[in-house]
Amino acid sequence: MVAGSGRNMARTLRESSSKFSKSPPFSNARVVTEKGGSFAVDPNQLIVGDLSDQKLLDQLFTKFEFAAVMHFAAVSLVGESIENPAKYYSNNVSNTIKLLNTMVAHC
């Protein structure tokens, strides 16, 4: 699973899927994203959502068996982070902990 705007990573995984023989094909990589990323993966494999949505996370980890999870869903604008630190804490810390807890619960 590629979470966030990991467009380059998703594209790399998709394009190199035939090079991997010992692991599940990376063509099964899913992208959970608020924006962007749709051109990097097959539209049938794009799941648009938000890491703050616990119900969605549980559904994804119940439906799919992910070989790996790559988290690119952080926000990183310095000026905005000073003006609105709660947004950054909620997204970068709370949502990351939520994702990690969900991964543990479903492994």
Side-chain angles (χ1 to χ4, degrees):
M1 179 173 98
V2 179
S5 296
R7 293 184 295 260
N8 292 328
M9 179 57 70
R11 183 183 306 112
T12 299
L13 292 173
R14 187 185 70 193
E15 291 173 354
S16 64
S17 64
S18 62
K19 296 177 185 175
F20 296 92
S21 58
K22 294 185 178 179
S23 56
F26 282 106
S27 60
N28 291 332
R30 303 290 197 266
V31 175
V32 179
T33 181
E34 264 181 47
K35 58 187 174 207
S38 61
F39 68 88
V41 296
D42 180 328
N44 297 321
Q45 296 178 336
L46 177 66
I47 299 166
V48 178
D50 192 309
L51 291 179
S52 65
D53 185 344
Q54 185 64 55
K55 183 178 177 182
L56 174 63
L57 288 175
D58 285 329
Q59 289 172 346
L60 289 172
F61 280 88
T62 298
K63 184 175 181 178
F64 302 107
E65 189 173 314
F66 299 112
V69 176
M70 294 177 223
H71 178 8
F72 297 99
V75 287
S76 61
L77 299 174
V78 175
E80 185 183 53
S81 71
I82 293 169
E83 294 172 12
N84 190 357
K87 171 187 173 184
Y88 281 71
Y89 183 86
S90 175
N91 187 68
N92 295 354
V93 178
S94 298
N95 288 348
T96 299
I97 291 170
K98 186 177 290 191
L99 175 62
L100 292 169
N101 286 336
T102 304
M103 291 165 56
V104 169
H106 289 272
C107 68

